[in-house]
Amino acid sequence: MKTVHTPCELVAELSHLRYECVDDAPRERLVGFVPTMGALHQGHMSLIHRMVAECDVGVVSIFVNPTQFGPGEDFERYPRTLEADLKLCEEAGVDLVYAPTVDQVYPEPFLTSVHVSGLTEDLEGAHRPGHFDGVCLVVAKLFALIRPHRAYFGEKDYQQLLIVRQLARNLDLGVEVVACPLIRDDDGLAASSRNRYLSPEERERALCLFRALTRAKELYEQGERSVERLEEAGRRVIRETPGVELDYFVVRRAGDLKPFPEGKVEGEGRVLGAIRVGETRLIDNMPLREPTIDTGTGG
Ligand code: PAF
């Protein structure tokens, strides 16, 4: 595995990895990409393992991107664990890691912005103004440099996944955005680099988000389709937990995160929540899908 720190080194290294000789002719290999901000956990590793299994060349970026953090957010204290991250990437069979500095990514003067409208205004966008512009900017730059065939994103950041897919489509970036399931720790907490901030007591309280999502999902599976009742059942679980602030807990259409027009879940839904526990902000979500009926006919 190679680690590079500048755009120039990245492009040079990739040009070697991208082509192989088959019968004396150059053949392009399938390039996979997992963008990360480091502090790798089992959620990231599930994306990385899938990329390595599915692609000929596996690239990971590690960059704590300042433009996606708002004033007063945790950019300064975000965990930076490069050495441990590189070891994990190497063990997983990654070919190339790109770990640039802020100056390499945003050389002065930096005058360009990237904005995806519609999908970015609500939920995380409403609570973290400018966050998705920062995500779209850095992802567009990484896609432009790496030109991956496939990029792997976790469903933990479900809104981000839909936005990046839209970005890739609208800018004709030629990359398939692959959605990978959210990974949970044994107690149910969604894997996140920010879980490192939680004291054991805070972690216990943070689990109310998982319980609230589970409650809404159970009710849905029992036949409840009223968005209001599903949301209220989840919000109650969070409100009953002391020391937790609720940012949002909503049921939306899975495809575009818009509210269901009649207030009834029809087709695939997604229940999404965000809470604050002490200084830490956490997000999580679950799918609401009609159970598939097993006819027992096999195949
Ligand atoms: O999901 C993340 O870790 C970040 O938003 C990403 C996609 C690496 C961009 O900085």
Side-chain angles (χ1 to χ4, degrees):
M1 184 183 87
K2 271 226 154 172
T3 304
V4 294
H5 302 281
T6 69
C8 180
E9 288 170 329
L10 173 66
V11 172
E13 206 52 51
L14 260 169
S15 69
H16 294 302
L17 290 168
R18 193 180 295 276
Y19 293 97
E20 63 186 342
C21 284
V22 178
D23 298 331
D24 266 345
R27 196 192 71 163
E28 190 168 5
R29 300 164 87 205
L30 189 76
V31 177
F33 174 45
V34 176
T36 80
M37 298 206 297
L40 301 184
H41 50 67
Q42 49 165 341
H44 295 117
M45 295 318 294
S46 72
L47 310 182
I48 292 174
H49 287 307
R50 181 156 171 198
M51 167 184 73
V52 169
E54 292 182 357
C55 301
D56 301 321
V57 179
V59 184
V60 171
S61 65
I62 298 178
F63 177 62
V64 185
N65 173 35
T67 61
Q68 69 188 77
F69 290 80
E73 289 190 351
D74 56 343
F75 173 67
E76 302 297 342
R77 73 168 182 139
Y78 198 86
R80 288 159 170 89
T81 58
L82 185 62
E83 221 173 289
D85 294 344
L86 293 178
K87 192 160 175 280
L88 287 169
C89 288
E90 173 121 57
E91 284 165 5
V94 170
D95 297 289
L96 184 59
V97 174
Y98 178 46
T101 62
V102 172
D103 292 344
Q104 294 287 351
V105 178
Y106 298 114
E108 293 287 348
F110 200 89
L111 306 173
T112 302
S113 55
V114 179
H115 179 71
V116 173
S117 56
L119 282 167
T120 52
E121 270 101 59
D122 210 358
L123 307 175
E124 285 306 285
H127 286 269
R128 305 184 65 189
H131 167 67
F132 287 122
D133 289 354
V135 171
C136 288
L137 180 58
V138 80
V139 169
K141 283 174 67 75
L142 290 165
F143 282 178
L145 275 174
I146 295 165
R147 294 192 290 113
H149 298 97
R150 286 190 193 157
Y152 295 79
F153 284 79
E155 290 189 339
K156 152 91 178 4
D157 296 292
Y158 189 78
Q159 191 175 7
Q160 167 175 283
L161 165 71
L162 297 190
I163 291 166
V164 168
R165 196 170 264 163
Q166 191 69 36
L167 170 85
R169 263 192 219 129
N170 286 168
L171 296 184
D172 303 318
L173 298 177
V175 50
E176 180 194 350
V177 174
V178 181
C180 303
L182 183 152
I183 302 293
R184 298 187 181 282
D185 291 343
D186 289 344
D187 57 6
L189 198 68
S192 162
S193 304
R194 290 190 169 95
N195 293 351
R196 295 173 195 228
Y197 299 150
L198 299 169
S199 67
E201 298 76 41
E202 287 177 329
R203 187 178 174 107
E204 196 49 47
R205 276 183 260 147
L207 283 171
C208 71
L209 182 53
F210 170 63
R211 284 200 304 274
L213 294 165
T214 307
R215 180 75 195 121
K217 192 173 162 70
E218 277 167 5
L219 285 177
Y220 171 84
E221 282 168 1
Q222 288 159 17
E224 181 61 80
R225 292 293 180 269
S226 154
V227 168
E228 202 184 318
R229 282 197 285 273
L230 293 168
E231 289 179 346
E232 191 38 41
R235 285 177 195 152
R236 197 174 316 125
V237 175
I238 294 169
R239 279 199 301 264
E240 280 166 2
T241 312
V244 174
E245 271 184 68
L246 174 64
D247 272 358
Y248 60 82
F249 187 90
V250 294
V251 171
R252 293 292 173 88
R253 300 197 304 210
D256 58 8
L257 292 180
K258 296 273 178 281
F260 284 97
E262 309 294 328
K264 294 252 172 298
V265 183
E266 271 175 51
E268 195 174 331
R270 202 91 193 176
V271 53
L272 309 102
I275 56 168
R276 273 170 292 142
V277 185
E279 298 287 294
T280 308
R281 189 170 180 282
L282 298 168
I283 59 172
D284 196 348
N285 68 84
M286 283 185 191
L288 300 179
R289 287 192 195 107
E290 296 282 351
T292 46
I293 296 156
D294 183 0
T295 56
T297 51

